Amino acid sequence: MSIKNIAGKRVVVTGGAGFIGSHTCELLLEQGAEVLALDNLATGHLANLDHLKSVVSLRFEELDVATGNALANAVESFKPEAIIHLAALVSVQESIVNPELNFERNVTATQRVIEAARTNNVSRLVFASSAAIFGDNTELPLNESSDKRPLSPYGAAKLASEYLLMGAAYSYNLTVTANRYFNVYGPRQDPKSPYSGVMSIFLDRFRAGKGVTVYGDGQQTRDFIFVKDVARMNVLGAASAQAGFQPFNVCTGRSTSLLDLIAEFRKYFPDAPETAFAESRKGDIIHSLGDPSAARNAMGFDATTTLSEGLKQYLDGEGVAV
Ligand code: UD2
C-alpha cells in the first residue's frame, strides 16, 4: 500500500479545516489528489488551510455534514473516489454534558456520510474513530480485537459509527477503514479548553512562560502520535483497495509518561516554573498504549516520528490558527 496511489483521485475531507483534517488535506494535495474540504467551522478554523489557499486542487465549502442536504449535494457534484470523514464533536467532556449533540455530530453525521457514499457510488470511506472506544480496558497494548468498553457518550458514538460503517461496508461493497486514533499531537492543535490534549495545553503554557499542572503523580502514560503520521494513515485508507471493513489502532506502540513528556519540553523551556501537581482527574485512565502491528502488516503504516522529533516540529509550528 502506498499513499502515491491517491494521485489524481478526488477526495472529500469532512472536518477539513480541523486539526487532523488540515494535515490530511495537505498530504493529499502533496500527493496530487484533488480535495474538497468541508467544515462547519465549529471547532475548525479556515486559518488552518490558509497556507494551502493558492493550491488550485483544493476547494473548501462551509457546510454541516450532519444536517440538511449540503453534504449529499457536495458529494454529488464533486464525485469523489473517497471520503475521509473527520468532522465530529471532538470533546469527550462536551459529549457528557450534551449527549444529544454528540449523537447528531458523531453518529447521525456518519450515517449521512454513508448515505452520500451509497447514493453517489463512492467506494472508499475513512473514518476518524478513537481509542476512547476501549475505555478503561487495561489489557495493554490494545489491539484491534481488545474489548470495547466506552466510558463516555463520545466513545460510545465512535463505536456505534464503526458498527454502522461495518454494516454498510458489507451491504454496499464499500472499502472502509476505521482509524482509532490514540493521543494525537502537533501543529494547529487547539489548546483552548482544559480538556484539550495535554500536549497542546503544555506547549501553550510553556510558551507563555508559565509552568504546567499535572493531575496525579505524572506516572500516567499515553501513546502519543504525531499528527502527520495520522494524516498518512488517513491517506493510506483512502488509497486502500482492500474490500470490506478494517479497523486499525493508529498508534506508535511507544509509551510516554507525563513526567518524561515534561522533561522533553524542558529542553526547550529550561527556565519554565516548577511543575505543579494536583488531584487526579476523576475517571482518568492511568495507562494507554496501542499495538501498531495490524496497521503495519495490512497497510505498511509505521508512525515513524519519534516524540522528540514530533515535539520539535510542533514547536517550530506552522499555520497555528488559535
Ligand atoms: C482524552 C480523550 C481522548 C482525546 C484526548 C485528547 C477519553 C477517554 N479520551 O484522552 O479521546 O480527546 O483526551 O487528546 O476521555 N493532564 C495533565 N495536565 C493537563 C492536562 C492533562 O496532567 O493540563 C493529564 C490528564 O489528566 C491525563 C493525561 O494528561 O492523565 C492525558 O490527558 P489528555 O486529556 O491529553 O488525554 P486522555 O488520554 O485523557
Side-chain angles (χ1 to χ4, degrees):
M1 186 72 52
S2 163
I3 56 172
K4 291 191 169 54
N5 296 346
I6 208 70
K9 300 274 188 339
R10 283 181 307 281
V11 183
V12 164
V13 181
T14 75
F19 162 48
I20 297 175
S22 61
H23 287 279
T24 302
C25 289
E26 188 176 311
L27 182 59
L28 286 164
L29 295 167
E30 261 169 43
Q31 295 301 317
E34 263 183 71
V35 177
L36 173 61
L38 308 175
D39 207 299
N40 67 356
L41 302 180
T43 50
H45 305 271
L46 265 186
N48 285 338
L49 295 172
D50 238 15
H51 61 300
L52 301 171
K53 72 178 172 220
S54 60
V55 182
V56 291
S57 44
L58 173 67
R59 274 191 250 170
F60 175 81
E61 271 185 52
E62 182 176 344
L63 63 78
D64 195 311
V65 297
T67 54
N69 292 323
L71 172 71
N73 293 341
V75 170
E76 190 180 357
S77 60
F78 189 65
K79 300 189 180 6
E81 274 95 358
I83 302 176
I84 302 180
H85 176 44
L86 310 178
L89 180 89
V90 293
S91 162
V92 172
Q93 196 54 29
E94 202 176 343
S95 82
I96 295 169
V97 175
N98 198 342
E100 292 280 346
L101 185 67
N102 171 66
F103 191 88
E104 178 186 281
R105 308 272 119 191
N106 291 340
V107 182
T108 306
T110 306
Q111 185 55 43
R112 290 290 174 93
V113 169
I114 291 169
E115 193 56 8
R118 182 179 79 89
T119 51
N120 292 289
N121 298 316
V122 183
S123 60
R124 289 173 200 175
L125 298 181
V126 180
F127 173 61
S129 188
S130 168
I133 66 170
F134 295 112
D136 60 357
N137 186 331
T138 52
E139 287 155 39
L140 305 182
L142 296 161
N143 63 42
E144 281 65 13
S145 53
S146 295
D147 276 355
K148 320 296 183 295
R149 298 184 210 140
L151 296 175
S152 62
Y154 173 86
K158 289 293 181 184
L159 187 55
S161 280
E162 283 201 13
Y163 283 124
L164 288 172
L165 287 158
M166 187 187 283
Y170 292 97
S171 303
Y172 313 125
N173 202 24
L174 305 174
T175 294
V176 179
T177 308
N179 287 333
R180 298 163 175 169
Y181 308 143
F182 280 62
N183 289 67
V184 186
Y185 71 96
R188 303 179 214 138
Q189 188 167 26
D190 191 339
K192 273 205 286 284
S193 143
Y195 295 97
S196 295
V198 67
M199 294 275 266
S200 67
I201 293 174
F202 281 8
L203 178 57
D204 199 45
R205 293 192 61 87
F206 281 133
R207 272 197 173 136
K210 297 177 184 161
V212 298
T213 300
V214 164
Y215 303 119
D217 60 7
Q219 306 281 0
Q220 65 264 53
T221 58
R222 293 294 184 272
D223 186 329
F224 291 106
I225 181 164
F226 191 56
V227 66
K228 287 184 190 287
D229 287 326
V230 168
R232 206 166 66 255
M233 186 61 191
N234 287 340
V235 176
L236 281 170
S240 171
Q242 175 80 45
F245 175 85
Q246 285 197 291
F248 293 110
N249 290 354
V250 179
C251 55
T252 66
R254 295 184 291 268
S255 175
T256 305
S257 73
L258 283 197
L259 295 181
D260 289 344
L261 178 61
I262 290 169
E264 204 57 54
F265 267 108
R266 284 193 181 278
K267 293 180 185 163
Y268 298 93
F269 301 98
D271 303 325
E274 294 269 291
T275 298
F277 288 85
E279 191 90 337
S280 291
R281 279 179 174 173
K282 188 170 162 283
D284 205 2
I285 291 161
I286 301 178
H287 300 294
S288 168
L289 180 67
D291 176 350
S293 48
R296 183 180 306 132
N297 296 338
M299 306 291 269
F301 172 73
D302 257 311
T304 47
T305 314
T306 61
L307 187 77
S308 57
E309 283 164 18
L311 189 57
K312 186 171 179 318
Q313 289 192 50
Y314 192 6
L315 284 154
D316 290 346
E318 72 184 67
V320 181
V322 286

